[in-house]
Amino acid sequence: MTSAAPSDPSVETLEEVVIRFAGDSGDGMQLTGNQFTSTSAALGNDLATFPDYPAEIRAPAGSLFGVSGFQLRFSSKDIHTPGDAPDVLVAMNPAALKMNLPDLKPGGLLIVNTGNFNKSDLKKAKYDANPLDDEALAADYTLVKLDLNEATVQAVEGLGLTNKEALRCKNFLALGMLYWVYSRPLETTEKWIDKKFGAKPKFREANLKALRAGHTIGENSEIFQARFAVPPAKLEAGTYRNIMGNPAVAMGLVAGSSLCELPIFYGTYPITPASDILHYLSRYKNHGVITFQAEDEIAGICSAIGASFTGALGVTGTSGPGMALKSEALGLAVMTELPLVVVNVQRGGPSTGLPTKTEQADLLQSIWGRNGECPIPVLAAQSPGDCFWAAIEAVRMAVTYMTPVILLTDGYLANGAEPWKLPKLEELERIPVRFHTDPENYQPFSRDPVTLARPWAKPGTPGLEHRIGGLEKRDVTGNVDYDPLNHEKMVGLREQKVMGIADSYPATEVYGPERGKVLVLGWGSTYGAIRGAVERALDAGLPVAQCHVRNLWPLPKDLGEVLKRFDQVLIPEMNRGQLARVIRSEYLIEVESFPKVQGRPFTAVEILERVKTLLG
Amino acid sequence: MTTVEAPSYKKADFVSDQEVRWCPGCGDYAILNAVQQTFAKLGVSKEKFVCVSGIGCSSRFPYYADTFGFHSIHGRAPAVATGIKVANPDLSVWIITGDGDALSIGGNHIIHAMRRNLDMNVLLFNNRIYGLTKGQYSPTSEINKKTPSSPFGSVDQPFNPIALALGSGATFVARSVDTQAAHLKGVLEAAHAHKGFSFVEILQNCVIYNNKAFEHITDKTIRHDRQVDLQAGKPMVYGKDLDKGLKILPDSIINCPPEEASTWRTDGPAGANAFRICQASESGEIPVPFGILRQVNRPVFETDLHLQIQATTQNLGQGTLENLLMEGETWQVS
């Protein structure tokens, strides 16, 4: 074992570090970041990650728009965001340097691969002169210049790799180096390389050599002036794993299906950044999961509706543009009152927008974006791990109230990672589902007196033959009916049913003082940044609190009362103020909207600054 | 051991309590009647039938059949039906659609359902017009059709639904007509018996907006000379006294004496002859093909999908939530 113990006097202990890896989209930066994440998770750090990559699969090498980044923050404390400004930037080429340098903390560690700084690389990054020649760079940052290309080629010499193949290992060399700087063991990554390249011994060997060479360079070359350690975080006792939002949704859906004892039918069409949910679910065949890659978004949702009619748990997943295509079918699910879970992994819009970037601009679409009076409950997950719980909750609502449910996540949650404490299975609450089987007095649109749900009678049940569809239907019988007063009654019943779901919510929680000057109200993935900001504000003795809304529609019944306990309500969201509009119209109160639509998440500092401004 | 008796039904068992709201004289009545009579004969328990439709006159069908029914949204019936059939392969699924619903707004779904080869049946009521929206030309309307949306004649080339089905890989492709009940019922029974996707085009008269659209094929006085009922393994003969024949040549299909007629095969390579005869007949030189144009066996989508689930479960063992959550690296914090 080559890594130093934190007790080594030459190793300085830090509370936390924020690293950003940046390079070409073909440089393996996402892989490097994920490996650093797994290693740090296994060491017991709390962590949060922010992968940020272009929509192009292999953008032209060296171009500014082809830069792929992965930021991670690992800490000995409980953290909620991937950090504000990075302490360390690893820039694999000039384009990566240009795009990311403005974010690096003054005095931060800047590791640059000089092997990719020839004239043409500089030209592609639109540099007139080599920025590494600028003395100010070394003055402003702790600059480490190293030809990683050459070092990698040397490290893998003798294995019979072509130059191109050899250079592909340079991300592992960089990783090995950083493992030395931050006192991380190599084992987790070594094991991963073993598994990944087991069938290709040449590449397995090459990547292992590059990783170890990087570590040795750190140890022997004296290019680093210091070495650091970040001790484990004090997390709640339990079993942990690293989790990202998309797999958490997939696992939550499987858990939900198991709790209500219905097989999942996941009908969907590939779309960034939601496709991973399909990828995970399609592996879970031994959990009875049926995945159906449909011919388009509309067929995805319609097949799921058909499956729900048949008594399965119909689920579909998509992102913004796909959500727009599904709108008509959502209306059908509302009209036929069938359970359905719709996961929208939001991305930058409108139209194709920013496919790989995050945004929260589909809230109003989710609540109101359909023809007719078409109420659908909407809930949002607040962290990668919370996607698991939100998915179970969506399943519960759908089958309990016989309604489509929209679950909002976003690109930031989908691909971001955090350590996640595994739930105790025995504590998961069962979701009772009862299919109607008695033909005596069966009426397809009779209602449960409490939930107002109609009975679920699946094809194949003798004596329950009935017809459903998108036309307005008579109360109770479900027969097609255009009577004016009946229509008004049915519109009311569908609305009443959905609004009644709020009766099943837990009480709204406030983090911080129960009343005060400023309440920061948020929803979805802004949770971590808001929590970070409010924690710092409270540490500074400011009268600030946080309230995070899981259920966006219907809103919690006690929310209005909570809002009134504060002088001002600040609503940061990654859109132009959509929740702010909902809150104003529902409660007739003034709120301070804090919009951000840059395709990237809020930092805690941004929110803290705005809180301070509000406090004057 | 108990023997399960095939349920015995009458047509009345498949008549719902809903008042039929098609125009008097509409061809849909005859088709509804034929389907109800056929359902009663198939030996399938009533509760296992599911009729799924989209939007249009024909798509009101499910309300009138006393089975499970889903009147979905425009063009999407094949997608809804796919979810139904995959979730419960035990059901007998019938898609009721029209030329606008299936071939225009729902074109994408119908071709993909056919290529996947689910074991379901499509009844495409082709009246070559949009009826429910009051008479615009449809994707099967002949070129130069004068309608409210094409007052100077349409410039759209029509689809040949049979050719589309053949090209999409449907494993059972047939044609019948609303006015010939016995023939229609025979085709419906064959469609049900076929294990795979059955595409049935039913020529149907819209008495209001496109009356007599098929008169040149179906009128009693000429129909024997204008239709050839194709049957697998039988000579391609037609005429009131079966006194005319068709011969398949390498580059054409021609009329010939009945004794020289070619034998019809429904499983020829790539359906080439089926494709040729359905195209050739549009010229009017040879009769319009009816009956079963193609029938082949191909793996059935939902069967393979469930076999894969079974095989995976056998290999990996029944998944538990615990295994799922513990997948990958975990660590303990105490």
Side-chain angles (χ1 to χ4, degrees):
Chain A
M1 173 118 178
T2 44
S3 72
S7 58
D8 184 336
S10 65
V11 174
E12 187 184 332
T13 299
L14 299 175
E15 187 177 289
E16 64 170 45
V17 177
V18 178
I19 298 186
R20 187 184 295 175
F21 297 95
D24 253 338
S25 47
D27 274 346
M29 292 296 95
Q30 303 303 319
L31 171 62
T32 310
N34 279 319
Q35 282 303 310
F36 203 106
T37 305
S38 299
T39 293
S40 302
L43 273 185
N45 291 132
D46 195 5
L47 51 89
T49 72
F50 177 43
D52 189 19
Y53 52 90
E56 293 72 20
I57 300 301
R58 289 281 184 277
S63 65
L64 290 168
F65 64 87
V67 173
S68 168
F70 189 104
Q71 179 164 321
L72 92 144
R73 178 184 183 198
F74 54 106
S75 175
S76 56
K77 283 181 63 174
D78 180 19
I79 56 168
H80 314 289
T81 73
D84 300 334
D87 304 298
V88 185
L89 172 63
V90 181
M92 301 298 276
N93 66 14
L97 180 70
K98 190 170 205 174
M99 298 301 282
N100 291 284
L101 189 61
D103 293 339
L104 184 61
K105 265 186 200 158
L109 177 59
L110 173 61
I111 302 171
V112 179
N113 175 18
T114 57
N116 281 344
F117 272 70
N118 61 37
K119 260 193 183 156
S120 87
D121 296 320
L122 292 167
K123 199 176 156 201
K124 282 182 215 157
K126 302 199 164 50
Y127 273 121
D128 294 329
N130 190 339
L132 302 181
D133 296 341
D134 183 354
E135 282 174 14
L137 197 67
D140 294 345
Y141 305 101
T142 310
L143 179 62
V144 172
K145 294 195 284 189
L146 192 67
D147 187 340
L148 295 179
N149 294 11
E150 197 194 312
T152 308
V153 170
Q154 275 178 15
V156 303
E157 212 180 347
L159 291 175
L161 267 62
T162 64
N163 196 53
K164 202 175 160 193
E165 286 170 342
L167 286 179
R168 233 178 255 156
C169 305
K170 66 176 180 287
N171 57 333
F172 280 105
L173 188 115
L175 184 62
M177 223 160 62
L178 283 158
Y179 279 171
W180 181 81
V181 175
Y182 291 101
S183 317
R184 320 262 105 179
L186 304 181
E187 276 90 339
T188 304
T189 298
E190 285 173 340
K191 268 193 222 158
W192 184 88
I193 293 173
D194 259 344
K195 204 172 158 192
K196 179 83 182 172
F197 297 101
K200 297 173 185 163
K202 194 167 75 172
F203 296 112
R204 175 186 161 275
E205 197 55 27
N207 284 318
L208 285 173
K209 281 202 161 181
L211 178 75
R212 288 167 189 157
H215 198 271
T216 309
I217 290 170
E219 198 163 15
N220 297 339
S221 67
E222 297 184 7
I223 52 173
F224 294 101
Q225 293 152 12
R227 198 177 181 205
F228 308 95
V230 175
K234 296 230 178 328
L235 298 171
E236 238 181 281
T239 306
Y240 281 76
R241 60 170 285 172
N242 210 16
I243 192 99
M244 297 193 294
N246 275 342
V249 166
M251 288 193 292
L253 290 170
V254 174
S257 103
S258 149
L259 294 170
C260 65
E261 295 177 19
L262 296 177
I264 293 183
F265 177 101
Y266 189 67
T268 190
Y269 186 75
I271 186 168
T272 303
S275 303
D276 273 344
I277 300 175
L278 169 63
H279 302 163
Y280 280 94
L281 285 173
S282 62
R283 287 171 41 206
Y284 298 157
K285 292 198 169 28
N286 61 328
H287 293 266
V289 176
I290 297 172
T291 53
F292 174 60
Q293 183 175 313
E295 57 272 20
D296 58 30
E297 294 280 358
I298 298 171
I301 185 171
C302 285
S303 61
I305 291 172
S308 281
F309 177 54
T310 315
L313 175 62
V315 184
T316 186
T318 190
S319 186
M323 202 63 189
L325 285 165
K326 292 182 197 297
S327 302
E328 187 194 11
L330 279 170
L332 179 67
V334 167
M335 202 64 161
T336 51
E337 303 192 41
L338 285 169
L340 176 75
V341 174
V342 183
V343 184
N344 177 2
V345 186
Q346 298 166 98
R347 68 189 213 189
S351 186
T352 312
L354 309 171
T356 59
K357 310 293 179 192
T358 195
E359 205 160 277
Q360 294 181 299
D362 300 348
L363 177 62
L364 296 183
Q365 179 198 34
S366 301
I367 302 177
W368 286 309
R370 290 165 293 280
N371 63 306
E373 296 289 352
C374 196
I376 293 181
V378 181
L379 73 163
Q382 66 185 34
S383 69
D386 183 53
C387 288
F388 175 83
W389 298 107
I392 294 179
E393 178 61 8
V395 170
R396 183 190 69 83
M397 277 185 199
V399 298
T400 307
Y401 294 89
M402 295 290 284
T403 179
V405 176
I406 295 173
L407 168 58
L408 293 175
T409 72
D410 59 34
Y412 173 52
L413 294 179
N415 295 314
E418 66 175 357
W420 181 56
K421 191 182 154 198
L422 297 185
K424 288 208 170 72
L425 294 178
E426 61 276 15
E427 285 169 14
L428 299 178
E429 207 173 318
R430 281 189 28 75
I431 304 169
V433 169
R434 204 175 58 85
F435 287 105
H436 192 89
T437 52
D438 183 8
E440 192 73 27
N441 298 324
Y442 167 65
Q443 296 288 2
F445 282 78
S446 61
R447 290 180 191 279
D448 179 279
V450 177
T451 61
L452 297 185
R454 75 180 188 90
W456 197 357
K458 54 183 178 182
T461 317
L464 297 190
E465 292 83 2
H466 68 282
R467 275 67 56 192
I468 58 171
L471 288 171
E472 184 60 282
K473 35 195 63 55
R474 188 83 200 168
D475 185 22
V476 183
T477 67
N479 290 328
V480 173
D481 194 303
Y482 305 143
D483 176 65
L485 293 181
N486 177 71
H487 174 53
E488 192 154 55
K489 181 173 188 189
M490 291 302 283
V491 166
L493 275 170
R494 289 187 287 263
E495 180 180 279
Q496 214 185 322
K497 177 179 83 168
V498 168
M499 297 316 281
I501 299 175
D503 292 330
S504 68
Y505 299 164
T508 297
E509 285 176 20
V510 172
Y511 173 76
E514 282 298 305
R515 53 190 69 244
K517 287 252 161 63
V518 174
L519 178 71
V520 189
L521 184 72
W523 67 280
S525 72
T526 54
Y527 170 81
I530 296 175
R531 174 57 60 99
V534 170
E535 274 177 357
R536 287 186 224 179
L538 290 172
D539 284 348
L542 302 174
V544 178
Q546 174 189 22
C547 178
H548 212 71
V549 188
R550 164 176 303 292
N551 297 102
L552 282 318
W553 199 260
L555 288 165
K557 290 185 165 174
D558 57 355
L559 183 61
E561 184 271 322
V562 170
L563 299 178
K564 283 174 187 139
R565 297 203 303 253
F566 294 84
D567 298 346
Q568 298 188 79
V569 177
L570 175 68
I571 306 183
E573 45 187 336
M574 294 187 287
N575 58 46
R576 290 294 301 156
Q578 299 193 6
L579 180 64
R581 279 173 190 271
V582 175
I583 296 294
R584 286 185 194 120
S585 74
E586 290 300 306
Y587 300 106
L588 300 177
I589 61 166
E590 188 39 48
V591 296
E592 180 78 10
S593 174
F594 181 17
K596 178 176 180 180
V597 276
Q598 299 172 3
R600 353 187 234 190
F602 280 98
T603 61
V605 168
E606 285 172 328
I607 295 171
L608 182 62
E609 289 307 314
R610 184 57 76 96
V611 167
K612 286 179 178 164
T613 311
L614 264 189
L615 286 168
Chain B
M1 213 177 113
T2 55
T3 44
V4 181
E5 271 182 45
S8 90
Y9 296 110
K10 293 190 286 294
K11 179 203 154 187
D13 292 317
F14 289 94
V15 177
S16 83
D17 60 355
Q18 295 300 293
E19 190 188 337
V20 183
R21 297 192 197 184
W22 287 315
C23 308
C26 176
D28 289 0
Y29 284 94
I31 304 174
L32 174 63
N33 189 40
V35 173
Q36 287 164 330
Q37 288 183 10
T38 305
F39 278 8
K41 276 178 63 182
L42 293 179
V44 174
S45 297
K46 188 179 154 180
E47 68 273 13
K48 291 195 172 163
F49 286 101
V50 186
C51 296
V52 188
S53 66
I55 294 295
C57 294
S58 59
S59 287
R60 296 297 179 93
F61 185 102
Y63 292 117
Y64 310 137
D66 191 22
T67 66
F68 283 92
F70 203 144
H71 178 215
S72 75
I73 43 180
H74 208 4
R76 317 303 171 202
V80 173
T82 296
I84 291 171
K85 186 67 184 178
V86 169
N88 185 356
D90 205 26
L91 299 170
S92 179
V93 179
W94 297 73
I95 296 166
I96 318 293
T97 183
D99 38 316
D101 191 54
L103 303 181
S104 199
I105 194 167
N108 199 31
H109 307 305
I110 195 102
I111 60 173
H112 287 279
M114 290 194 280
R115 92 173 150 82
R116 289 190 186 104
N117 196 36
L118 287 107
D119 184 18
M120 347 189 257
N121 314 289
V122 163
L123 310 184
L124 190 155
F125 296 19
N126 181 10
N127 58 15
R128 311 189 79 174
I129 202 79
Y130 282 109
L132 202 56
T133 50
K134 303 197 175 184
Q136 300 83 358
Y137 62 97
S138 90
T140 57
S141 294
E142 61 279 16
I143 196 163
N144 205 25
K145 182 91 176 163
K146 290 188 173 59
T147 73
S149 62
S150 55
F152 306 106
S154 61
V155 293
D156 284 38
Q157 285 288 343
F159 265 135
N160 179 324
I162 297 288
L164 184 76
L166 291 168
S168 306
T171 52
F172 179 101
V173 180
R175 179 186 276 149
S176 190
V177 56
D178 53 4
T179 48
Q180 295 167 221
H183 186 268
L184 176 56
K185 286 189 275 186
V187 166
L188 294 176
E189 279 179 50
H192 168 75
H194 176 67
K195 186 83 182 150
F197 197 94
S198 304
F199 178 90
V200 181
E201 180 193 6
I202 305 172
L203 306 183
Q204 173 250 322
N205 192 44
C206 171
V207 69
I208 304 295
Y209 294 110
N210 205 17
N211 197 19
K212 302 185 177 172
F214 299 109
E215 202 178 26
H216 62 294
I217 304 167
T218 59
D219 184 82
K220 274 185 190 149
T221 60
I222 57 155
R223 77 177 196 215
H224 294 291
D225 291 334
R226 289 299 302 131
Q227 299 177 13
V228 54
D229 185 25
L230 299 174
Q231 296 176 44
K234 299 269 177 67
M236 298 165 67
V237 291
Y238 67 101
K240 195 165 178 77
D241 303 313
L242 300 178
D243 55 348
K244 298 182 178 75
L246 290 174
K247 190 187 281 185
I248 299 173
L249 298 177
D251 60 354
S252 59
I253 297 174
I254 58 165
N255 282 295
C256 67
E259 56 278 11
E260 290 174 27
S262 302
T263 300
W264 181 243
R265 282 180 61 192
T266 56
D267 59 352
N273 286 333
F275 194 77
R276 285 167 65 194
I277 196 170
C278 78
Q279 302 280 4
S281 64
E282 292 192 348
S283 69
E285 285 162 18
I286 59 168
V288 173
F290 278 64
I292 300 167
L293 283 97
R294 183 157 181 78
Q295 184 168 15
V296 287
N297 286 318
R298 212 154 46 79
V300 169
F301 178 81
E302 68 274 16
T303 308
D304 282 6
L305 184 147
H306 284 281
L307 282 175
Q308 194 180 52
I309 290 175
Q310 278 168 26
T312 312
T313 308
Q314 225 154 40
N315 287 342
L316 303 177
Q318 182 66 49
T320 67
L321 213 44
E322 195 171 4
N323 292 343
L324 185 67
L325 295 174
M326 300 287 282
E327 210 181 55
E329 299 252 338
T330 59
W331 67 93
Q332 294 291 329
V333 171
S334 47

